[in-house]
Amino acid sequence: MLQAPELLLPAGSLAKMHAAFDFGADAVYAGQPRYSLRVRNNDFSTLQTLQEGIDGAHARGKQFFVASNIFAHNAKLKTYLRDMAPVIAMKPDALIMADPGLIMMVRDQWPDMPVHLSVQANAVNWADVKFWHRMGLTRVILSRELSLDEIEEIRQRCPEMELEVFVHGALCIAYSGRCLLSGYFNHRDPNQGTCTNSCRWDYKVKQAAEDASGDLGAMQTIPLRFEQALEQANQPWSSLHQQPRHPLADQPYLIEETGRPGQLMPILEDEHGTYIMNSKDLRAVEHIERLVKIGVTSLKVEGRTKSLYYAARTAQVYRQAIDDAVAGRPFDIGLLGQLQGLANRGYTDGFYQRHHTQAHQNYMRGASEAERSQYVGDVLGMRDGWARVEVKNRFAVGDRIEVIHPGGNRDLTLTRMRADDGSDIAVAPGSGHFVHIELDPALDGALLARYL
């Protein structure tokens, strides 16, 4: 019998925590800002809110993990045990930690407190996992840079240790998040929890021309379309697969960030590529069946700063994928399309599978585009068969709407809509507005998405 892995979601707020649980999550994780990598957009900044979260999770028979995964400098060591004492007293189900020194302090002070090794510690092999088992840890969150085959070997060699892997969310240009780019630009250290996501800013690529002295002088913008760049180099598109090196690779290039005009940075490349570029988001729902068969303990979603809709949709989709895999049902490719409606920077399955066949790539892309949707509103309450909706994005009468609810999703075509004053309207203009639509009272609290 296959065992269902835990489905673990981020809890940036109490509302998102309950949405995650409503739609199928087994556990959530949150962090104290001072000692975790969750400084921004974190409603668990007070002990009172953290206590509410832990108690609320336990009341529902769920688990709540507290991230304490900072790499601490000396100043924070002085206050760490004092500040963590009230957190430990709240009885979280585990601490998520990365710093060996802090782990030692917690193990000495509270030997019965379960500790999970953070992805920040970059565990990439079975010897890492065995070491941390000897240190008394109960779970290792493996690095995102591992393939499915590597995860399977670790599982086989380390049957005694719980293993957790990421399946959805942002990927970092650095090794599992240990990045210095934000610290370089504006002195906000990602390893101290204050990352500004500099890798995701708007950069423009420039072509540099050397003057007589060898300095980088006049610049021109590189054509945005790759085909045009090849045409300028008098290279046919078909030649791309016939050459060991791109025809434009040896020319010097600079990048300029929109918010820093005139500050030009060279793009450096080695045999592996260039690293100062944005990554697509991780989406590994198509690999859930394999991960279940491997015996992974926990499947983790990233995204504490994302919307309530994101928490609900990812929980619902990955819950179905897990349940289908355990029951022996085939993978539902429609789940790819449901995730496509979330805000994303394009999807990749990361390092899980290094070489896709072209047929598999087209299969996944086609499924994703079949039922794309956009989050458009929250149902705030019901009265006389009409639901009051807080609008998030524009929608209109005639649109095909997906109603997303823990009791099951439904599709409908919107035939009528009213303003707050009761007058008929045809369009909900966008965020900041409230409208009313006809809806089954059983769907109170639902989220709405418009099929594109």
Side-chain angles (χ1 to χ4, degrees):
M1 292 290 294
L2 294 176
Q3 297 295 314
E6 167 190 277
L7 178 57
L8 176 59
L9 262 77
S13 67
L14 290 171
K16 293 175 188 176
M17 178 190 81
H18 286 296
F21 289 149
D22 287 344
F23 284 89
D26 301 299
V28 296
Y29 59 102
Q32 273 192 297
R34 180 169 168 78
Y35 301 111
S36 78
L37 302 187
R38 288 159 180 80
V39 172
R40 299 185 302 114
N41 302 322
N42 184 352
D43 285 359
F44 293 96
S45 57
T46 67
L47 292 176
Q48 179 181 354
T49 307
L50 193 61
Q51 183 74 75
E52 287 184 49
I54 294 172
D55 290 347
H58 291 169
R60 300 184 64 161
K62 308 288 187 176
Q63 292 190 301
F64 193 109
F65 306 139
V66 173
S68 186
N69 56 347
I70 195 173
F71 283 95
H73 291 213
N74 289 333
K76 290 187 177 178
L77 293 181
K78 299 175 183 178
T79 57
Y80 184 72
L81 291 178
R82 180 198 70 195
D83 291 348
M84 288 304 295
V87 177
I88 301 298
M90 296 176 190
K91 301 186 183 304
D93 295 283
L95 297 182
I96 302 171
M97 305 185 69
D99 188 313
L102 294 184
I103 291 173
M104 176 187 69
M105 294 168 68
V106 166
R107 297 288 301 136
D108 289 345
Q109 186 76 11
W110 299 289
D112 295 330
M113 183 73 234
V115 175
H116 296 174
L117 187 73
S118 170
V119 71
Q120 293 294 116
N122 303 142
V124 295
N125 61 65
W126 57 264
D128 279 345
V129 175
K130 286 189 177 294
F131 169 82
W132 289 111
H133 183 258
R134 289 186 186 180
M135 296 300 104
L137 274 63
T138 58
R139 179 183 296 185
V140 167
I141 305 168
L142 296 174
S143 279
R144 295 179 176 95
E145 291 75 26
L146 296 178
S147 69
L148 291 167
D149 290 342
E150 290 173 308
I151 294 169
E152 184 167 20
E153 182 177 2
I154 292 172
R155 172 76 291 164
Q156 291 171 352
R157 288 179 174 267
C158 306
E160 69 282 358
M161 178 64 88
E162 293 185 1
L163 300 179
E164 181 178 307
V165 299
F166 281 85
V167 292
H168 198 92
L171 289 173
C172 187
I173 63 169
Y175 215 103
S176 281
R178 298 181 69 169
C179 179
L180 295 173
L181 193 60
S182 174
Y184 172 79
F185 276 132
N186 46 21
H187 308 291
R188 292 178 61 173
D189 187 355
N191 301 300
Q192 299 297 311
T194 55
C195 181
T196 55
N197 299 110
S198 304
C199 61
R200 299 177 184 273
W201 293 349
D202 182 12
Y203 294 94
K204 298 294 185 294
V205 181
K206 308 286 185 177
Q207 183 173 344
E210 293 186 1
D211 61 19
S213 66
D215 293 332
L216 294 175
M219 297 172 299
Q220 62 181 15
T221 302
I222 289 294
L224 295 181
R225 291 183 59 206
F226 188 55
E227 299 93 328
Q228 293 174 345
L230 284 169
E231 289 171 6
Q232 283 195 357
N234 296 316
Q235 295 288 338
W237 176 259
S238 60
S239 69
L240 175 64
H241 303 289
Q242 302 169 3
Q243 300 184 53
R245 190 167 179 82
H246 188 282
L248 302 179
D250 293 320
Q251 298 185 25
Y253 299 105
L254 305 171
I255 59 171
E256 178 184 50
E257 201 275 316
T258 299
R260 292 165 172 76
Q263 296 183 25
L264 305 174
M265 298 168 288
I267 297 177
L268 304 177
E269 180 175 308
D270 62 16
E271 66 272 17
H272 300 295
T274 183
Y275 305 99
I276 195 166
M277 289 292 158
N278 201 342
S279 169
K280 293 181 179 180
D281 290 341
L282 175 65
R283 181 194 64 192
V285 66
E286 66 269 26
H287 297 305
I288 297 301
E289 181 181 6
R290 174 80 186 277
L291 290 167
V292 169
K293 290 179 178 178
I294 287 172
V296 169
T297 310
S298 180
L299 304 179
K300 188 172 198 170
V301 173
E302 183 278 337
R304 76 191 181 285
T305 64
K306 298 293 183 69
S307 66
L308 189 73
Y309 175 64
Y310 178 94
R313 179 66 97 178
T314 53
Q316 187 180 60
V317 167
Y318 282 91
R319 178 79 272 153
Q320 180 182 332
I322 291 170
D323 292 345
D324 286 348
V326 172
R329 293 188 289 268
F331 173 63
D332 179 358
I333 63 171
L335 298 179
L336 295 167
Q338 292 181 33
L339 292 172
Q340 193 68 26
L342 299 174
N344 67 83
R345 295 173 173 85
Y347 282 126
T348 174
D349 61 352
F351 295 91
Y352 281 132
Q353 189 169 320
R354 302 297 177 93
H355 303 289
H356 290 293
T357 66
Q358 187 64 34
H360 195 201
Q361 287 176 323
N362 291 337
Y363 160 81
M364 290 193 295
R365 186 169 66 89
S368 297
E369 293 176 349
E371 294 192 8
R372 292 186 301 141
S373 60
Q374 180 185 42
Y375 173 40
V376 295
D378 296 339
V379 175
L380 301 182
M382 304 289 303
R383 184 174 181 179
D384 299 328
W386 287 82
R388 188 166 192 256
V389 177
E390 180 180 0
V391 181
K392 299 297 183 180
N393 286 291
R394 182 186 186 280
F395 64 100
V397 171
D399 285 343
R400 183 166 164 251
I401 300 294
E402 182 182 20
V403 183
I404 303 155
H405 191 271
N409 297 356
R410 302 186 192 179
D411 290 346
L412 59 86
T413 298
L414 194 61
T415 58
R416 295 183 65 189
M417 185 159 46
R418 292 177 177 172
D420 267 345
D421 62 7
S423 61
D424 287 333
I425 56 175
V427 176
S431 181
H433 293 81
F434 296 86
V435 300
H436 300 257
I437 66 172
E438 291 180 298
L439 198 65
D440 185 334
L443 298 176
D444 190 11
L447 307 174
L448 305 180
R450 176 176 66 91
Y451 286 109
L452 302 179

